[in-house]
């Protein structure tokens, strides 16, 4: 296997890790309006991800940095062609971080409500837009012979990509709901399990349609296996949730994300951004990659740094593993 193939796999792993981890905290942000009934319950939900949300974004930074260094042509075409959607995602992530930090700085109800609204919208929009972006990457966009995107913003808003956005939004929200059931106690835990059933069924219908569409247009035997695993894991997650096995439900919803993202990258390879104008103009792991020497240096850096990042994140989740409920929220706290 050539180093550019290795780095394609590593970037796929980084995106998978990002969607697995950031997926549930996007879901928690959406649930602050769908599940929480009062200010204390919103605080409970926010506190379930309080120690980890910023660490989850390390995976996005790593994926973006790896793409820039390993596949500069891919990075350049992607960020120029998808400039407005990616800028909107970036603005949402910045405002979301500010909202988490500033929400409790003042006790006024209006102040806190405004930041809670910001948490909701800056969780919902990226969850949707990431699906739109990856839907377009897999489907193919208008790339010319100079490796430049020549389409418009409206070309990105096609039915396939919009369906992909709905899938990521509902899947991340479902993932967040089973995480909320896993991390809370009391009435909010019971309601999270009930909400997860309805969300899971909607997600299953949308995901099956999107993945079958992907398989029919671009799939092969390997992607078909990933499709079956994704659908089976989602159905099993719904069943585990109904049985009250919250740990299994969360693990299986995570497996759904892993298998679905794996399927997208399997249908993409050896392309990194297919051209809808001419197959010969597509960006591939070969024509979009850096030099072998650059990839070699990056590989050694990844071998050293990646285990360290994974260890400290695992330690963080272990330290903050206990469930919380409204009884843990001080009434006078703000």
């Amino acid at each position: 296997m050539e180093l550019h193939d290795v780095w394609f796999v590593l970037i796929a792993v980084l995106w998978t890790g990002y969607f697995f981890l950031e997926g549930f905290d996007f879901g928690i942000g959406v649930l602050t309006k769908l599940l929480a009934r009062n200010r204390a319950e919103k605080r409970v939900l926010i506190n379930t991800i309080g120690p980890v949300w910023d660490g989850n974004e390390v995976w996005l930074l790593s994926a973006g940095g790896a793409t820039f260094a390993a596949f500069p042509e891919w990075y350049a075409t992607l960020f120029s062609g998808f400039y407005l959607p990616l800028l909107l995602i970036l603005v949402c992530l910045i405002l979301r971080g500010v909202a988490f930090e500033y929400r409790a700085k003042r006790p006024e109800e209006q102040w806190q409500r405004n930041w809670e609204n910001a948490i909701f919208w800056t969780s919902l929009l990226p969850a949707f837009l990431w699906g739109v972006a990856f839907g377009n990457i897999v489907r193919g966009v208008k790339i010319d012979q100079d490796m430049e995107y020549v389409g418009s913003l409206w070309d990105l808003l096609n039915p396939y990509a919009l369906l992909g956005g709905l899938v990521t939004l509902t899947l991340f929200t479902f993932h967040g709901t089973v995480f909320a059931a896993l991390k809370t106690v009391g009435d909010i835990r019971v309601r999270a399990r009930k909400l997860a059933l309805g969300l899971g069924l909607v997600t299953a219908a949308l995901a099956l349609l999107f993945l079958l569409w992907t398989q029919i247009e671009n799939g092969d035997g390997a992607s078909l296996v990933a499709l079956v695993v994704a659908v089976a894991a989602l159905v099993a997650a719904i069943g585990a949730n109904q049985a009250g096995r919250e740990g299994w439900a969360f693990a299986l919803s995570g497996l759904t994300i892993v298998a679905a993202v794996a399927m997208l990258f399997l249908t993409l390879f050896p392309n990194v951004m297919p051209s809808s104008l001419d197959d010969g103009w597509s960006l591939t792991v070969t024509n979009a990659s850096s030099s072998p020497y650059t990839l070699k240096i990056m590989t050694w850096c990844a071998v050293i740094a990646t285990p360290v990042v994974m260890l400290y994140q695992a330690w963080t989740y272990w330290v903050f593993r206990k469930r919380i409920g409204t009884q843990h929220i001080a009434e006078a706290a703000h």
Side-chain angles (χ1 to χ4, degrees):
M1 180 181 286
E2 299 289 336
L3 279 179
H4 50 65
D5 297 331
V6 171
W7 273 96
F8 179 85
V9 174
L10 289 175
I11 288 171
V13 170
L14 290 171
W15 279 111
T16 302
Y18 174 66
F19 288 142
F20 182 100
L21 296 172
E22 191 83 324
F24 71 74
D25 76 43
F26 281 149
I28 291 293
V30 175
L31 290 175
T32 56
K33 282 194 177 295
L34 297 185
L35 182 62
R37 289 179 174 174
N38 52 49
R39 179 69 26 83
E41 289 189 350
K42 288 182 179 180
R43 287 201 60 203
V44 168
L45 289 175
I46 293 171
N47 287 355
T48 62
I49 59 172
V52 298
W53 68 266
D54 48 354
N56 293 343
E57 293 183 357
V58 169
W59 291 80
L60 173 61
L61 298 176
S62 300
T67 303
F68 172 77
F71 299 99
E73 294 290 351
W74 183 13
Y75 182 93
T77 304
L78 176 65
F79 278 78
S80 60
F82 293 17
Y83 181 81
L84 287 177
L86 293 178
L87 177 62
L88 181 55
I89 290 174
L90 178 61
V91 170
C92 284
L93 294 180
I94 293 171
L95 289 177
R96 190 167 181 265
V98 173
F100 281 132
E101 298 297 331
Y102 275 46
R103 177 190 167 278
K105 296 299 184 183
R106 289 170 55 179
E108 291 88 347
E109 183 175 345
Q110 186 63 44
W111 171 273
Q112 295 191 4
R113 184 183 298 113
N114 288 341
W115 288 117
E116 287 162 0
N117 288 334
I119 290 172
F120 171 78
W121 287 109
T122 56
S123 298
L124 184 148
L125 287 174
F128 175 74
L129 290 174
W130 280 127
V132 174
F134 271 83
N136 278 295
I137 292 173
V138 172
R139 174 178 177 267
V141 292
K142 294 179 178 179
I143 299 173
D144 66 11
Q145 66 271 25
D146 297 320
M147 298 185 178
E148 294 182 0
Y149 177 72
V150 293
S152 67
L153 175 63
W154 304 112
D155 292 322
L156 303 178
L157 303 178
N158 55 81
Y160 176 80
L162 293 174
L163 176 60
L166 290 176
V167 170
T168 52
L169 174 58
T170 55
L171 180 56
F172 290 170
T173 306
F174 173 73
H175 194 41
T177 307
V178 295
F179 180 76
L182 177 65
K183 286 288 293 178
T184 59
V185 294
D187 183 57
I188 192 170
R189 175 188 178 190
V190 175
R191 284 188 281 113
R193 283 167 50 186
K194 291 180 179 178
L195 179 60
L197 174 60
L199 278 173
L201 294 175
V202 172
T203 302
L206 292 173
L208 182 60
L209 177 60
F210 178 73
L211 295 179
L212 283 175
W213 192 344
T214 305
Q215 178 66 25
I216 291 170
E217 289 199 348
N218 304 298
D220 56 14
S223 62
L224 179 60
V225 172
L227 185 157
V228 172
V229 172
V231 174
L234 182 53
V235 172
I238 297 171
N241 172 75
Q242 287 301 101
R245 304 298 298 270
E246 290 134 348
W248 279 105
F250 179 71
L252 288 165
S253 68
L255 178 59
T256 303
I257 294 174
V258 171
V261 176
M263 180 187 176
L264 296 183
F265 277 94
L266 285 168
T267 59
L268 194 58
F269 186 82
N271 295 322
V272 292
M273 280 191 78
S275 172
S276 60
L277 299 177
D278 188 315
D279 288 340
W281 296 344
S282 296
L283 302 184
T284 69
V285 293
T286 304
N287 65 19
S289 68
S290 295
S291 68
Y293 182 73
T294 300
L295 296 177
K296 183 177 179 180
I297 296 299
M298 289 177 59
T299 302
W300 281 109
C301 293
V303 167
I304 296 170
T306 303
V308 176
V309 173
M310 296 183 72
L311 282 172
Y312 83 68
Q313 279 209 294
W315 178 79
T316 302
Y317 277 94
W318 174 255
V319 169
F320 295 100
R321 66 190 182 276
K322 292 185 178 180
R323 296 176 182 267
I324 61 173
T326 53
Q327 66 270 29
H328 301 116
I329 304 297
E331 185 174 345
H334 57 79

